[in-house]
Amino acid sequence: MKLQEGYMPFLDYRTYYRIVGESRGGKAPLLLLHGGPGSTHNYFEVLDCLADEDRAIISYDQLGCGNSFIEGHPELWTARTWLDELAALRAHLGLERVHLLGQSWGGMMIIAYLCDDKPTGVASAIISSGHPSSSLWASEQHRMIRRMSEREQAAIARAEASGDFREPEYLAANEHFMELNCCDSHYGEDAPECLRREKKHGDESYLYGWGPNEYVPSGSLKDFEYIERLPEIDTPTLIVSGTDDLCTPLVAKTMADGIPGSRWELFQGCRHMCFAEDTERYCKMLSAWLAEHD
């Protein structure tokens, strides 16, 4: 399978990209927008198999993480920086017609991109465990926290009240929260290599872009509120979430209800990374969706 890696100049830095396969027969490439901010492209490599279907699969590390890592520039970590980077990458790679898949923060990017930038050439959008509203997201995370032990709830509450997110009890409680609803911090030897691979996480871009954890949006995205604008999206849209996801059924349904003609696929037993926890079903679903909207 053909693999191409490269770098695109962006601002005073450079953005790493990875292309698997080639698009033939009128099939539009699939461009993947990772989560975080700051999570890297790595986990998306479980979708490389889709390149066997004569479709280029393109991922990249957004500025601030992975092979595009920089730090010491908190002023950069805004939606505008990453949306401009997305537009620049499409132009750099000549992606006049493309499918977009965004996971978590990447799903937020798609919503803002379609509503604010009104791009041309987007054949379809797949919002995988994303959200349209930081306030709704925070509310749902706090609802799930109330299902944890009283001791864990107290540790999280203390950290939120003091603003000190270094206390050992808080760190343990937050790690447990993420294991329940997001992903395991350590994958076993049987997991795909891309999930086990050490990566350069964008801690600064996450902190200044989002916040100290999933339930305290305090960074530049704290006012990300697009529920009322979802009807503006006229791109065919697939929404994907898991039953045990940070993207709760309420969050997913809010997007499904708001985006005209959208479709929602709910994955039983999956957390925040459905494509990693039920890869076979995810790829089968995605393959059919892409073919339908080429």
Side-chain angles (χ1 to χ4, degrees):
M1 191 183 304
K2 182 178 179 181
L3 171 63
Q4 176 186 350
E5 297 177 282
Y7 287 88
M8 172 191 72
F10 180 64
L11 301 178
D12 294 325
Y13 313 103
R14 60 181 194 167
T15 296
Y16 165 85
Y17 61 86
R18 177 181 185 271
I19 306 174
V20 181
E22 298 178 274
S23 284
R24 302 184 181 92
K27 294 186 176 183
L30 174 63
L31 179 57
L32 306 170
L33 315 179
H34 66 68
S39 287
T40 81
H41 83 280
N42 295 18
Y43 54 17
F44 277 142
E45 292 181 26
V46 300
L47 303 180
D48 281 358
C49 59
L50 294 169
D52 291 335
E53 302 175 357
D54 291 332
R55 188 185 306 280
I57 308 301
I58 305 169
S59 57
Y60 68 106
D61 288 339
Q62 295 166 25
L63 194 66
C65 69
N67 295 320
S68 308
F69 181 82
I70 63 167
E71 62 181 357
H73 297 277
E75 73 283 357
L76 287 177
W77 312 133
T78 66
R80 191 70 264 158
T81 292
W82 289 303
L83 292 175
D84 287 347
E85 181 183 37
L86 168 59
L89 186 66
R90 285 190 64 187
H92 183 77
L93 297 178
L95 303 176
E96 295 182 3
R97 188 165 176 274
V98 67
H99 298 280
L100 295 179
L101 187 157
Q103 190 263 348
S104 194
W105 148 244
M108 296 167 62
M109 281 182 67
I110 288 178
I111 291 171
Y113 186 52
L114 295 178
C115 288
D116 294 340
D117 293 6
K118 309 293 186 187
T120 59
V122 179
S124 79
I126 302 96
I127 300 173
S128 194
S129 300
H131 77 72
S133 163
S134 293
S135 60
L136 175 62
W137 187 263
S139 174
E140 282 293 274
Q141 308 315 299
H142 282 97
R143 181 180 62 79
M144 291 191 290
I145 288 170
R146 293 197 294 273
R147 297 187 295 198
M148 300 177 72
S149 72
E150 291 186 5
R151 182 170 182 173
E152 288 174 318
Q153 292 183 57
I156 290 172
R158 285 196 306 273
E160 289 193 62
S162 67
D164 182 359
F165 297 97
R166 298 168 297 175
E167 182 186 66
E169 270 200 298
Y170 157 76
L171 293 173
N174 186 63
E175 183 175 3
H176 185 211
F177 174 81
M178 295 298 281
E179 287 174 355
L180 290 171
N181 306 294
C182 185
C183 59
D184 293 319
S185 55
H186 302 286
Y187 288 92
E189 293 181 359
D190 294 336
E193 184 275 335
C194 64
L195 301 178
R196 296 180 279 109
R197 184 189 312 153
E198 186 175 352
K199 66 181 182 180
K200 189 70 172 178
H201 192 277
D203 293 334
E204 181 184 273
S205 61
Y206 181 81
L207 177 63
Y208 284 92
W210 179 254
N213 53 46
E214 284 301 307
Y215 35 89
V216 180
S218 56
S220 63
L221 297 170
K222 66 180 183 300
D223 297 320
F224 186 95
E225 300 292 339
Y226 281 80
I227 292 177
E228 298 302 320
R229 296 189 62 190
L230 292 177
E232 297 177 26
I233 297 175
D234 58 6
T235 301
T237 302
L238 174 64
I239 295 152
V240 186
S241 66
T243 56
D244 305 324
D245 200 336
L246 293 171
C247 175
T248 66
L250 176 60
V251 174
K253 186 176 186 301
T254 299
M255 293 186 286
D257 288 347
I259 300 174
S262 61
R263 185 187 305 170
W264 174 24
E265 291 281 344
L266 182 63
F267 277 62
Q268 175 67 35
C270 286
R271 294 170 294 176
H272 200 45
M273 290 160 50
C274 300
F275 50 83
E277 298 199 309
D278 197 347
T279 305
E280 184 177 356
R281 178 189 166 191
Y282 196 98
C283 288
K284 183 177 180 180
M285 171 203 70
L286 191 53
S287 177
W289 170 266
L290 296 174
E292 180 183 348
H293 295 283
D294 272 329

